[in-house]
């Protein structure tokens, strides 16, 4: 594999102090300003996020990502209001103070500039960005990679310590715009645009990438590789054998659906199932 970037490849170890990690998702309820917000008190929203975080920590996960998944349908980056950044900063700060494990931030849809601001304000170590380089057609419409403006904003904040994990072959979208570029080339573009880690996904939330696609992405990059959807206790060992870790959400929720609270017993069972893979 020809290297096309001098980015270091140890972001996972630098953040987590280990080579393979289990990262849980905190799917925040709808915030004020989002269509599904129905007037809930802010403390009730913050408390729901804290309960999910506590269950993930108690169950043995190594890190968490704070995400505004309750804000569906998601706005494009230029339409996300400052209220989202404000609310998510408070959630991130509260969880960071209580959880004692590394945090990341993902602002939907595809909004790394608010994510950097939230991470800086709340003490998060990394952000996730679904479309970092190139462009595609998503649920929200035409989406462009945000790497150039986001990295300049990170420099403005003096937030170089906050790293970027970027999706390759992004879920919830069509890549016909870049159909002349293979998955391997799309993955290499992430490193070329200074991402610190790569995330493989399925077609939508809760849908797993195939082992073949995981291997194809992994073979194209020297950066740490995570799988970011469709992970469960039945496939976790096989996935960990091919990656540096996973981002897991739906399978840890009551009933296995993303909008329910985290079930600590499901987290414990998932952690136990993952143990053989974490030892490798």
């Amino acid at each position: 594999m020809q290297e096309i970037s001098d980015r270091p490849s140890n972001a996972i170890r630098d953040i987590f102090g280990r080579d393979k990690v289990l990262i849980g998702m905190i799917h925040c309820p709808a915030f004020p300003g989002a269509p599904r917000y129905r007037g809930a008190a802010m403390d009730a929203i913050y408390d729901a996020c804290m309960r999910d975080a506590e269950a993930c920590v108690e169950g043995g996960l190594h890190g968490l990502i704070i995400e505004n998944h309750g804000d569906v349908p998601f706005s494009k980056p230029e339409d996300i209001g400052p209220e989202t950044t404000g609310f998510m900063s408070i959630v991130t700060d509260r969880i960071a103070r209580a959880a004692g494990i590394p945090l990341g931030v993902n602002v939907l849809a595809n909004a790394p500039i608010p994510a950097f601001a939230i991470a800086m304000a709340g003490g998060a170590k990394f952000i996730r960005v679904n479309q970092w380089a190139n462009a595609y057609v998503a649920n929200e419409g035409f989406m462009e990679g945000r790497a150039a403006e986001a990295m300049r904003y990170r420099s403005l904040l003096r937030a170089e310590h906050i790293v970027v994990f970027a999706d390759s072959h992004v879920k919830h979208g069509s890549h016909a715009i870049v159909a002349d570029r293979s998955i391997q080339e799309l993955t290499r573009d992430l490193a070329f645009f200074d991402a610190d880690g790569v995330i493989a996904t399925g077609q939508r939330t809760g849908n797993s990438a195939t082992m073949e696609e995981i291997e194809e992405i992994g073979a194209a990059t020297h950066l740490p590789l995570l799988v970011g959807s469709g992970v469960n206790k039945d496939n976790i060992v096989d996935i960990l054998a091919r990656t540096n870790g996973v981002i897991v959400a739906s399978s840890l929720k009551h009933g296995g659906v993303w909008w329910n609270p985290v079930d600590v017993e499901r987290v414990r069972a998932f952690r136990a199932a993952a143990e053989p893979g974490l030892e490798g």
Side-chain angles (χ1 to χ4, degrees):
M1 179 181 64
Q2 181 183 7
E3 301 293 356
I4 61 171
S5 171
D6 63 352
R7 301 294 292 171
S9 58
N10 55 356
I12 293 293
R13 173 155 286 280
D14 287 348
I15 294 171
F16 297 94
R18 54 185 300 122
D19 294 319
K20 293 183 182 286
V21 295
L22 310 176
I23 303 172
M25 292 293 301
I26 305 302
H27 285 151
C28 300
F31 291 118
R36 296 189 183 185
Y37 177 68
R38 295 293 182 266
M42 292 312 304
D43 277 345
I45 292 175
Y46 298 148
D47 288 348
C49 296
M50 286 297 301
R51 286 193 295 271
D52 279 358
E54 289 165 357
C56 288
V57 173
E58 185 177 342
L61 301 189
H62 305 116
L64 299 170
I65 298 178
I66 316 301
E67 184 179 81
N68 59 323
H69 210 305
D71 286 353
V72 286
F74 305 121
S75 296
K76 296 177 77 171
E78 59 270 22
D79 298 323
I80 295 172
E83 67 280 359
T84 301
T85 303
F87 299 136
M88 290 186 70
S89 294
I90 293 175
V91 172
T92 303
D93 176 72
R94 291 191 180 187
I95 293 176
R97 292 174 185 273
I101 59 176
L103 302 186
V105 175
N106 189 24
V107 181
L108 301 169
N110 205 49
I113 287 179
F116 272 132
I118 294 161
M120 189 70 170
K125 304 292 186 184
F126 63 97
I127 67 169
R128 178 181 182 177
V129 186
N130 300 111
Q131 187 67 23
W132 184 244
N134 294 299
Y136 75 125
V137 177
N139 299 151
E140 300 82 15
F142 181 72
M143 283 288 191
E144 295 183 78
R146 318 291 294 194
E149 60 184 324
M151 294 303 263
R152 284 162 175 79
Y153 183 69
R154 187 177 75 168
S155 294
L156 179 68
L157 295 183
R158 303 300 301 271
E160 289 83 0
H161 58 285
I162 300 171
V163 304
V164 176
F165 295 157
D167 290 22
S168 177
H169 205 225
V170 186
K171 63 184 177 182
H172 294 288
S174 167
H175 296 78
I177 295 170
V178 289
D180 61 339
R181 297 183 68 74
S182 65
I183 292 177
Q184 296 97 322
E185 286 302 317
L186 293 173
T187 302
R188 292 185 186 103
D189 289 342
L190 301 177
F192 186 58
F193 272 13
D194 285 352
D196 301 281
V198 176
I199 301 171
T201 72
Q203 289 299 307
R204 60 179 55 251
T205 299
N207 178 252
S208 178
T210 65
M211 296 299 168
E212 292 77 14
E213 183 167 327
I214 293 168
E215 291 173 354
E216 187 175 12
I217 292 172
T221 184
H222 70 292
L223 297 175
L225 176 62
L226 302 167
V227 169
S229 66
V231 182
N232 57 56
K233 62 185 179 67
D234 296 322
N235 62 17
I236 180 60
V237 172
D238 286 342
I239 290 174
L240 286 174
R242 295 163 169 84
T243 68
N244 298 97
V246 299
I247 300 167
V248 57
S250 300
S251 66
L252 304 184
K253 305 295 189 75
H254 287 278
V257 292
W258 72 262
W259 55 81
N260 284 340
V262 173
D263 180 348
V264 68
E265 294 305 322
R266 279 179 171 257
V267 183
R268 290 192 181 107
F270 176 78
R271 171 59 197 256
E275 202 63 38
L278 293 171
E279 296 171 356

